[in-house]
């Protein structure tokens, strides 16, 4: 005989309208082959009908009325004692807090909270703040796992410290594709409501309540109606705000341009399929099923950029995201799509592709993982400073790739691009004071306390300021550690004090860590000749660049137009932090030679730093009238993409990202033959490599490219091809193997 399947019970406070019951039914269907299931609910609706149709045990209790919630908890406890499930899945906050208490008293072995309606989104006054905090805190405390529907929602739970990181996971709603609207019914709907009368039909679907903020939509529509008299708005739904919002449409003079539909003959998804654009003005969403339904139907979307939709929609890809409350911008977004059917179609096709990620067969493995007792390993990244330069993009690429295999968090000094990435993706970011070489002793206790609390399965130390102190702490705590040598200290051995400090900064993490990652062949040789690394524990994993980072032609042209670049001139760009490491003075001296030979060539220096004033003075002394300093490097990638040639005169690098960005965007490079650069591309193929401090040869190579557009095109095409080897999906597979191997061997 086969072993009995585990028993799983779903609990939801109200089997009524909305997306929650439908998502619960989808889970019942998705998990049917893995568990013996039952359901407990308040009210009576679609879940009850589904259970009766499929002969599943189901029980109604008093969870739909808050005033008698205590009685509902007692009823639920009795039902759980009778069912004796192995897993209890709690859907949403009121049913969840009641179910968590009842499940705890009933000693259900494994309790999972699916945060369908996080209470904190309704923190509108002090009593609600207190009530909502306790509701979520009790539920998270009494359950073994909290499942958020989006990364944004997970971030909110982390921000409020409602649950520890290991207990938080993200599993979006599954939307069954076999439940897509019947084309015949969609056509019948169009005929009944005469959709063909209008050039563009904009659809809004949702319960008419404060959360959905259809008043924003109506105010936006008053602007759209003036510009597009042949467009029409259809609002499908009902709720407590219906009368108020109908009156608003009358006050704004658009009552004849808006149709309100309450009837149940057709579903919301059928209206979406019949329309041209979905408009969604929610103040907040835990997910947003209607957005997925629009994507499935191939419809462009205009939505407020709030939790839920912004985790599903990529702006300018499947639709347009607008700041909540900005009715003018929302109207502009609608007008743009109304005027541009080609963009609507393009976004609709992108939506169809993206919607497949929410198919039940894609979501089921993630649900099964969340419903098991085996949490994913936790990897903690430690970085000394989340600031400018090429380090943060490398860390972000690394975290993005490892996300499919590990839970992650980060301890970092300051707040920059990595912090922004973590916030968008619901990753815990622990900010500390920047770790400086002179303050290693102060950083030690802070890191020790953080790691003792987080209890990661592995740690990745990014760069040498964090490397030595981090390696000492992780060795003491017995945590498997990887040292990623992103900023080799020995390149600044300029005096005896630096020699001693830098040797210790590299030797300690290299010797104490379980594995070392080197970014380039040049760096590897330097570590090897200094006997810093243990060869069998060292792996070369270069910087990466994703194909998605290539900028469009329109983005390139915007830069050229903004700064008035003459298309007849040749524009050379260098992007760098203006420090003595980057040696932009070498480039300026080479440019003085170029100016005399090709006065129409232009040099653009993108970046700032401590050497900026001295470099500007040098440019004046060399009389470089066609050299412009543009300041902050934050838009460096755009200038690289807009350029004709990229120049780089760095003295050393871990692994320079600039050549990768240049190759990805099809631009030839002239660079110093320096560690961290020379292995990125081949001399004479994707660009030219020049010995450092050779201004004459550097200028000659620039002139060769300036005078030969065909050579620039050929080298640019070679660069696009070579950039493929730096794809994160290719490069970071080694890293995943290193991390997994260390965790597996951990005692």
């Amino acid at each position: 005989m086969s072993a009995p399947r585990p028993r799983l019970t779903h609990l939801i406070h109200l089997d009524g309208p909305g997306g929650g019951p439908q998502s619960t039914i989808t889970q019942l269907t998705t998990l049917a082959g893995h568990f013996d299931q039952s359901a407990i609910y308040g009210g009576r609706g679609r879940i009850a009908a589904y259970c009766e149709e499929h002969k599943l045990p189901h029980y109604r209790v008093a969870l739909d009325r808050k005033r008698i919630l205590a009685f509902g908890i007692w009823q639920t406890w009795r039902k759980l004692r009778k069912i004796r499930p192995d897993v209890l899945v709690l859907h949403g906050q009121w049913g969840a807090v009641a179910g968590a208490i009842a499940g705890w008293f009933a000693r259900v072995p494994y309790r999972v909270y699916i945060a369908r309606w996080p209470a904190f989104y309704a923190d509108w006054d002090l009593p609600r703040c207190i009530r909502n905090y306790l509701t979520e805190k009790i539920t998270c405390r009494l359950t073994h796992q909290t499942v958020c529907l989006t990364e944004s929602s997970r971030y909110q739970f982390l921000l409020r410290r409602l649950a520890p990181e290991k207990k938080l996971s993200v599993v979006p709603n599954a939307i069954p594709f076999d439940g897509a609207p019947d084309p015949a019914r969609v056509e019948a709907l169009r005929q009944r409501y005469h959709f063909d009368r209008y050039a563009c039909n904009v659809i809004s679907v949702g319960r008419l309540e404060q959360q959905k903020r259809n008043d924003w939509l109506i105010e936006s529509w008053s602007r759209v109606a003036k510009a597009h008299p042949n467009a029409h708005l259809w609002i499908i739904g009902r709720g407590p705000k219906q009368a108020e919002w109908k009156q608003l449409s009358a006050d704004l003079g658009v009552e004849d341009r808006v149709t309100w539909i309450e009837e149940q003959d057709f579903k919301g998804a059928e209206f979406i399929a019949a329309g041209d654009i979905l408009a969604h003005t929610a103040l907040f969403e835990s997910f947003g099923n209607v957005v997925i339904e629009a994507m499935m139907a191939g419809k462009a979307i205009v939505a407020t950029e709030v939790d839920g939709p912004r985790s599903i929609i990529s702006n300018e890809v499947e639709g347009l995201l607008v700041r909540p409350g900005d009715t003018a911008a929302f109207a502009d977004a609608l007008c743009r799509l109304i005027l541009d059917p080609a963009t609507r179609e393009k976004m609709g096709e992108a939506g169809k592709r993206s919607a497949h990620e929410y198919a039940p067969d894609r979501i089921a493995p993630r649900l099964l993982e969340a419903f098991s007792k085996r949490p994913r390993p936790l990897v903690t990244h430690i970085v000394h400073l989340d600031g400018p330069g090429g380090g943060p993009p490398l860390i972000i690429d690394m975290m993005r790739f490892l996300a499919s295999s590990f839970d992650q968090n980060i301890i970092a000094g300051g707040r920059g691009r990595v912090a922004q990435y973590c916030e968008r993706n619901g990753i815990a970011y622990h900010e500390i004071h920047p770790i400086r070489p002179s303050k290693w002793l102060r950083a030690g206790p802070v890191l020790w306390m953080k790691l003792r609390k987080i209890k990661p399965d592995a740690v990745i130390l990014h760069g040498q300021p964090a490397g030595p102190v981090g390696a000492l702490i992780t060795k003491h705590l017995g945590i498997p550690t990887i040292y990623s040598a992103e900023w080799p200290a020995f390149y600044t051995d300029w005096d005896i004090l630096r020699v001693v400090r830098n040797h210790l900064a590299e030797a300690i993490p290299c010797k104490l860590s379980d594995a070392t990652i080197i970014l380039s062949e040049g760096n590897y040789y330097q570590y090897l000749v200094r006997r810093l690394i243990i060869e069998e524990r060292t792996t070369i994993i270069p910087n990466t660049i994703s194909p998605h980072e290539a900028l469009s032609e329109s983005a390139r042209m915007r830069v050229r137009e903004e700064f008035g670049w003459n298309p007849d001139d040749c524009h050379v760009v260098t992007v760098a932090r203006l420090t003595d490491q980057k040696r932009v003075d070498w480039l300026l001296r080479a440019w003085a030679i170029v100016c005399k030979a090709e006065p129409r060539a232009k040099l653009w220096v993108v970046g700032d730093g401590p050497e900026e004033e001295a470099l500007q003075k040098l440019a004046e002394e060399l009389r470089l009238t066609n050299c412009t300093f543009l300041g902050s490097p934050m838009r460096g990638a755009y200038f690289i993409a807009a350029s004709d040639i990229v120049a780089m005169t760095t003295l050393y690098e871990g692994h320079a990202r600039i050549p990768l960005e240049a190759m990805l965007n099809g631009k030839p490079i002239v660079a110093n033959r320096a560690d961290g650069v020379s292995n990125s591309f081949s001399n004479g193929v994707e660009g030219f490599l020049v010995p450092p401090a050779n201004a004459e040869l550097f200028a000659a190579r620039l002139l060769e490219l300036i005078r030969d557009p065909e050579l620039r095109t050929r080298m640019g095409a070679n660069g696009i091809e070579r950039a493929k080897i730096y794809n994160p999906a290719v490069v970071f597979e080694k890293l995943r193997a290193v991390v997994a191997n260390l965790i597996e061997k951990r005692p």
Side-chain angles (χ1 to χ4, degrees):
M1 290 180 61
S2 60
R5 296 193 304 177
R7 295 184 299 273
L8 184 148
T9 296
H10 298 265
L11 186 146
I12 187 169
H13 75 286
L14 178 61
D15 179 17
Q22 183 57 53
S23 296
T24 304
I25 290 170
T26 302
Q27 281 195 11
L28 283 162
T29 305
T30 303
L31 300 173
H34 303 277
F35 299 95
D36 289 333
Q37 299 181 95
S38 57
I40 300 173
Y41 49 81
R44 187 175 179 83
R46 288 172 286 173
I47 296 175
Y50 177 91
C51 291
E52 288 173 0
E53 180 184 350
H54 293 83
K55 297 181 172 53
L56 296 178
H58 56 105
Y59 310 92
R60 183 178 179 182
V61 296
L63 292 177
D64 52 328
R65 288 170 286 177
K66 297 174 187 175
R67 292 181 180 178
I68 57 172
L69 194 62
F71 177 63
I73 293 172
W74 177 77
Q75 282 187 305
T76 303
W77 172 77
R78 290 193 63 190
K79 298 299 182 187
L80 292 174
R81 292 277 291 176
K82 176 182 177 182
I83 301 167
R84 297 191 178 279
D86 300 294
V87 181
L88 175 62
V89 180
L90 308 169
H91 297 267
Q93 20 107 350
W94 287 113
V97 69
I101 295 170
W104 185 78
F105 277 110
R107 298 185 179 180
V108 177
Y110 195 60
R111 303 177 293 277
V112 179
Y113 169 38
I114 298 184
R116 296 205 181 282
W117 306 280
F120 45 70
Y121 284 121
D123 284 351
W124 301 329
D125 51 50
L126 184 57
R128 286 177 185 266
C129 288
I130 296 169
R131 181 198 70 183
N132 294 344
Y133 177 82
L134 292 175
T135 297
E136 297 292 350
K137 189 68 176 180
I138 292 169
T139 305
C140 292
R141 186 68 178 269
L142 296 181
T143 51
H144 299 90
Q145 186 75 13
T146 297
V147 177
C148 303
L149 301 186
T150 64
E151 294 288 357
S152 300
S153 182
R154 181 177 184 271
Y155 172 72
Q156 297 293 342
F157 275 86
L158 284 170
L159 188 67
R160 291 167 170 80
R161 300 185 181 181
L162 293 169
E165 296 152 40
K166 285 190 174 183
K167 288 177 62 175
L168 284 169
S169 59
V170 176
V171 182
N173 280 340
I175 308 295
F177 277 72
D178 55 6
D182 180 1
R185 285 184 55 81
V186 173
E187 184 57 33
L189 184 156
R190 290 182 62 87
Q191 291 181 7
R192 175 187 290 190
Y193 293 102
H194 308 292
F195 270 37
D196 292 339
R197 288 179 298 172
Y198 307 106
C200 186
N201 294 282
V202 179
I203 309 296
S204 172
V205 176
R207 183 165 166 74
L208 303 182
E209 57 188 0
Q210 185 65 21
Q211 171 196 346
K212 302 302 182 181
R213 293 310 304 258
N214 284 69
D215 53 327
W216 289 345
L217 176 57
I218 294 165
E219 289 174 16
S220 299
W221 195 251
S222 66
R223 297 169 179 262
V224 175
K226 294 175 183 176
H228 301 283
N230 209 19
H232 197 77
L233 174 63
W234 305 78
I235 298 179
I236 292 85
R238 52 187 172 185
K241 288 285 185 177
Q242 185 170 352
E244 177 185 333
W245 288 343
K246 278 189 174 181
Q247 184 59 48
L248 176 62
S249 68
D251 294 343
L252 293 174
V254 292
E255 66 270 27
D256 60 335
R257 306 292 304 282
V258 181
T259 300
W260 305 77
I261 297 178
E262 303 178 43
E263 65 171 86
Q264 301 297 316
D265 289 353
F266 293 99
K267 298 177 182 178
E270 292 170 334
F271 277 95
I272 291 171
D276 300 296
I277 301 169
L278 174 72
H280 193 62
T281 48
L283 178 59
F284 64 88
E285 291 280 4
S286 56
F287 186 65
N289 283 0
V290 294
V291 173
I292 303 296
E293 289 171 348
M295 291 162 63
M296 287 171 56
K299 305 300 176 182
I301 305 157
V302 180
T304 44
E305 190 174 6
V306 297
D307 289 353
R310 69 179 175 187
S311 294
I312 301 169
I313 303 168
S314 296
N315 191 35
E316 299 284 350
V317 179
E318 299 91 0
L320 302 175
L321 293 171
V322 179
R323 184 169 60 87
D326 192 341
T327 55
F330 202 93
D332 290 343
L334 285 172
C335 289
R336 176 183 162 189
L337 292 183
I338 289 169
L339 280 170
D340 194 347
T343 297
R344 295 203 305 263
E345 184 178 353
K346 180 181 177 182
M347 288 180 171
E349 290 301 319
K352 283 183 178 180
R353 291 192 296 271
S354 299
H356 283 280
E357 294 299 319
Y358 302 95
D361 62 334
R362 298 283 186 93
I363 301 300
R366 298 171 67 176
L367 274 177
L368 291 171
E369 181 181 358
F371 294 170
S372 72
K373 295 183 180 181
R374 299 182 298 276
R376 298 197 309 170
L378 175 63
V379 175
T380 294
H381 301 261
I382 300 178
V383 60
H384 74 288
L385 177 63
D386 178 16
L394 169 63
I395 295 167
I396 290 169
D397 282 349
M398 195 179 287
M399 294 180 75
R400 185 181 288 122
F401 182 80
L402 294 177
S404 62
S405 302
F406 307 100
D407 291 334
Q408 299 174 93
N409 57 30
I410 189 163
I411 302 172
R415 296 185 73 86
R417 284 173 286 179
V418 178
Q420 293 169 5
Y421 171 81
C422 291
E423 182 175 335
R424 287 196 304 270
N425 292 277
I427 297 171
Y429 184 93
H430 304 273
E431 183 180 359
I432 61 175
H433 288 290
I435 303 173
R436 304 293 187 189
S438 59
K439 298 178 179 178
W440 280 340
L441 291 177
R442 186 179 74 174
V446 175
L447 282 179
W448 184 83
M449 287 188 290
K450 292 283 186 185
L451 291 173
R452 285 273 293 177
K453 182 177 181 180
I454 296 169
K455 297 179 180 176
D457 297 290
V459 167
I460 300 177
L461 303 170
H462 295 272
Q464 36 86 7
V469 63
L472 288 167
I473 299 301
T474 56
K475 188 70 173 179
H476 172 71
L477 295 174
I479 304 170
T481 302
I482 299 168
Y483 174 47
S484 180
E486 292 158 20
W487 303 282
F490 44 70
Y491 284 117
T492 59
D493 284 351
W494 302 330
D495 54 55
I496 189 63
L497 292 178
R498 287 176 181 266
V499 168
V500 174
R501 183 198 69 184
N502 294 346
H503 180 81
L504 292 174
E506 295 294 347
I508 291 172
C510 287
K511 303 298 184 186
L512 296 185
S513 297
D514 300 279
T516 301
I517 293 171
I518 309 292
L519 300 188
S520 70
E521 296 283 354
N523 292 167
Y524 182 84
Y525 173 73
Q526 296 291 346
Y527 278 92
L528 197 63
V529 80
R530 288 170 171 80
R531 300 185 181 181
L532 290 168
I533 55 175
I534 300 171
E535 294 176 52
E536 59 270 21
R537 297 201 322 225
T538 304
T539 307
I540 298 176
I541 301 178
N543 246 330
T544 63
I545 193 159
S546 171
H548 302 299
E549 295 180 55
L551 294 171
S552 65
E553 185 61 30
S554 60
R556 305 177 193 199
M557 293 306 299
R558 280 197 297 271
V559 172
R560 286 177 165 261
E561 291 169 4
E562 180 180 348
F563 291 90
W565 288 13
N566 188 331
D568 295 329
D569 297 339
C570 186
H571 299 275
V572 179
V573 166
T574 186
V575 177
R577 180 153 169 76
L578 303 183
T579 63
D580 52 0
Q581 172 197 346
K582 304 301 181 180
R583 296 310 304 257
V584 177
D585 58 316
W586 289 347
L587 175 59
L588 297 180
R589 296 184 190 283
W591 195 251
I593 300 171
V594 173
C595 285
K596 295 175 183 177
E598 290 290 343
R600 296 207 62 177
K602 309 293 183 185
L603 175 64
W604 303 85
V605 180
V606 184
D608 54 19
E611 299 288 317
E612 184 172 4
E613 186 176 340
L615 290 170
Q616 289 179 344
K617 186 177 180 181
L618 176 61
E620 291 176 6
E621 292 173 0
L622 295 171
R623 299 181 181 179
L624 303 181
T625 56
N626 54 357
C627 170
T628 305
F629 287 80
L630 292 171
S632 172
M634 294 305 292
R635 293 177 63 195
Y638 287 85
F639 284 96
I640 288 172
S643 71
D644 297 300
I645 303 167
V646 175
M648 188 176 188
T649 48
T650 186
L651 181 58
Y652 63 89
E653 294 285 341
H655 184 211
R657 187 174 170 83
I658 298 301
L660 308 189
E661 292 178 343
M663 291 191 294
L664 183 69
N665 289 285
K667 306 301 174 182
I669 316 143
V670 181
N672 282 349
R673 191 185 295 275
D675 286 349
V677 178
S678 58
N679 295 111
S680 298
F681 63 95
S682 300
N683 185 37
V685 180
E686 298 87 14
F688 291 116
L689 290 165
V690 178
N694 192 330
E696 293 78 10
L697 183 55
F698 203 97
R701 291 305 193 189
L702 285 174
L703 287 168
E704 187 175 347
L705 285 170
I706 290 168
R707 292 166 175 169
D708 192 343
E710 291 185 4
L711 178 60
R712 297 202 301 265
T713 301
R714 186 166 64 253
M715 286 186 165
N718 293 338
I720 291 172
E721 192 62 30
R722 185 177 178 103
K724 294 177 182 178
I725 69 174
Y726 298 105
N727 190 320
V730 177
V731 173
F732 283 144
E733 193 57 51
K734 286 184 184 178
L735 176 64
R736 190 197 333 246
V738 171
V739 176
N741 185 52
L742 288 184
I743 293 173
E744 186 179 342
K745 290 181 178 179
R746 184 180 186 183

